[in-house]
Every structure is written in C-alpha cells, then in structure tokens.
Amino acid sequence: MHLPKDYLDDLLVRMTYHSCAIENNAITLSEAVSILLYRVIPGKISVHKVYELENHRLAFNYIIENIDQELTISLIHDIHSLLLDRLNHERGRFKSQENAIVGARFQTATPSETHSLMYQWIKNLNNQIQQAKSPDDIIASICSSHFEFERIHPYADGNGRTGRLLMMHLLLQNQIVPLVIQKENKHEYIQFLEKQDANGFAVYAVSIIEKEKQRYNAFLNSLPKE
C-alpha cells in the first residue's frame, strides 16, 4: 500500500491525538499538530502530556518503518517501550503485578499467565488472518484479537495505546487503511470492550474504515500526476 507523506502526517496526528485523548490526555488537536508536525510546544503544557504525544509519534513511525515485519513478542515490546519511554519504568516488559480495567466485568491475566497467553494470542491471530477470505474477515479477526489483547492486559500501563497501534500495524500489513477511533466515540468503544462485543466492534470498525478509505483516496488523488 502506497502511503503518501501528507496522508501519513494526517494519520499520525489523528491516531496520536485521539488515542491519547481516549486515555484522558487533554491536549487539543491544534496543540497536537504543533507538537507532532512542527516540534513546537505551545503554552504551558505538562511534560507528561508532551511525552505521551512524542512517544506515540516515535511508536507510530517505528510501525511504518517496520510494516513488513511479522508480529512477534519482540515487536510488541518495542512498540510499548517507545510509547512508555520516560513514563514507566516497566516499559517494554510484561507486567510484574496484577492489574485491572476500570469498570470491566472480567479479570485480566495474571503476570505468570501473560507470557504464554501472548504467544498463543499471536499464533491464533496469524492463523485467523491466514484463513480469512475477505478484507472484512481480516478486520473481524483483528477486532476480535484487540479484545483478547485488552483482556490479557499484558502491561502495567499503556495497553490501550499499544493495542490500537497494533491494530494499525496489522491492518496496514494486510493492505487495509487503519482504524482511527475518535475520542468522541470513546464511550461506544469502551462499551464494546466491557461487553466483549467483538461482532459489534467489527461492524463499527468496517464502517469507520470505509470512511478512512475515502480520506486516503483523497490524499492519493492530490498527488502530482506523472
């Protein structure tokens, strides 16, 4: 899939802004543009909030640079390590203590279970994608795997941002434009996760991805003709 620079810049801003906003980072869209594209920190913004955006930019770029690399534990650790740089001392390592998702009706995996569950998660996901017969089947598999990832909750922090970037990696790797979950849809997204409604989330994702295709094509059409 050809990814024009302007589209990548646009995607970087939207993925970073919305994913961080879902995790309660209150930086505005215009501030995100300033930080991510122009490397200027406007006004009095906390260092923590800036690190969250800057780290997301680094993880986003890492995925684009390694888009053809197969999904492995090492790749996932690398993404998480970049996302949590300067923010968490356990970055790039599976959790050492039990954790929980606020409001969830299920328990996350224990630290002793996490390593084997994550290896099985990758194996199952790769098998599902290989057996998929259409792009919609691939999207459904990736959406279902996202729920499984969040249910395992393999890291002490940053699971949501890591999981959403992994979906981007998997979709692009399979020639499908990314799923950008906007902060305005946070409640709906959280409801899907809490109810473990993978089918509903897949239907939602397909509709959002269709709109993303139009945006992607608009950037393609704006490229100079040879």
Side-chain angles (χ1 to χ4, degrees):
M1 175 180 287
H2 178 54
L3 297 169
K5 182 182 182 304
D6 286 348
Y7 175 71
L8 282 178
D9 285 347
D10 175 71
L11 181 62
L12 166 64
V13 169
R14 289 183 295 119
M15 280 290 298
T16 303
Y17 167 70
H18 288 293
S19 193
C20 290
I22 287 172
E23 305 302 331
N24 300 316
N25 187 315
I27 285 179
T28 68
L29 181 58
S30 61
E31 289 170 339
V33 170
S34 179
I35 293 168
L36 295 167
L37 298 186
Y38 301 109
R39 318 311 303 280
V40 174
I41 301 174
K44 296 181 179 180
I45 298 174
S46 74
V47 172
H48 188 279
K49 290 179 180 178
V50 173
Y51 281 166
E52 283 189 346
L53 266 72
E54 174 62 12
N55 290 353
H56 200 281
R57 182 186 69 82
L58 294 173
F60 177 98
N61 288 340
Y62 177 82
I63 286 174
I64 298 302
E65 292 166 2
N66 294 276
I67 202 64
D68 294 327
Q69 185 175 331
E70 68 174 324
L71 188 64
T72 62
I73 295 294
S74 178
L75 179 72
I76 298 170
H77 280 339
D78 286 347
I79 292 169
H80 183 265
S81 182
L82 289 168
L83 276 171
L84 274 291
D85 185 31
R86 299 164 289 186
L87 298 175
N88 190 292
H89 70 282
E90 289 190 352
R91 66 188 184 93
R93 289 182 288 157
F94 288 143
K95 60 189 175 185
S96 59
Q97 298 181 336
E98 293 193 16
N99 56 7
I101 303 173
V102 176
R105 302 173 186 175
F106 56 84
Q107 288 186 327
T108 61
T110 65
S112 61
E113 297 171 326
T114 296
H115 196 269
S116 61
L117 285 175
M118 283 301 298
Y119 270 102
Q120 190 62 47
W121 177 80
I122 291 174
K123 182 179 178 180
N124 292 342
L125 173 58
N126 288 335
N127 287 338
Q128 289 172 15
I129 290 176
Q130 288 174 5
Q131 294 172 13
K133 297 180 180 179
S134 70
D136 283 2
D137 286 345
I138 293 175
I139 293 169
S141 294
I142 292 171
C143 286
S144 177
S145 76
H146 181 63
F147 280 18
E148 293 167 9
F149 179 89
E150 296 303 329
R151 192 181 186 96
I152 296 170
H153 230 55
Y155 296 105
D157 189 24
N159 292 283
R161 281 164 286 166
T162 302
R164 289 187 288 275
L165 279 175
L166 288 175
M167 283 198 292
M168 184 187 88
H169 172 82
L170 291 162
L171 289 166
L172 286 173
Q173 197 170 62
N174 286 279
Q175 308 299 306
I176 301 171
V177 295
L179 169 65
V180 181
I181 302 171
Q182 297 188 3
K183 70 168 189 174
E184 291 81 7
N185 300 124
K186 174 180 177 177
H187 177 73
E188 187 176 9
Y189 169 58
I190 296 299
Q191 285 291 303
F192 285 133
L193 288 171
E194 288 180 354
K195 296 177 180 178
Q196 292 290 284
D197 183 6
N199 291 332
F201 183 52
V203 171
Y204 162 82
V206 168
S207 67
I208 298 300
I209 286 171
E210 282 299 318
K211 294 178 182 177
E212 186 68 22
K213 284 182 187 175
Q214 297 175 14
R215 193 178 188 101
Y216 169 74
N217 287 329
F219 278 96
L220 276 185
N221 292 334
S222 67
L223 292 175
K225 298 295 186 289
E226 294 183 359

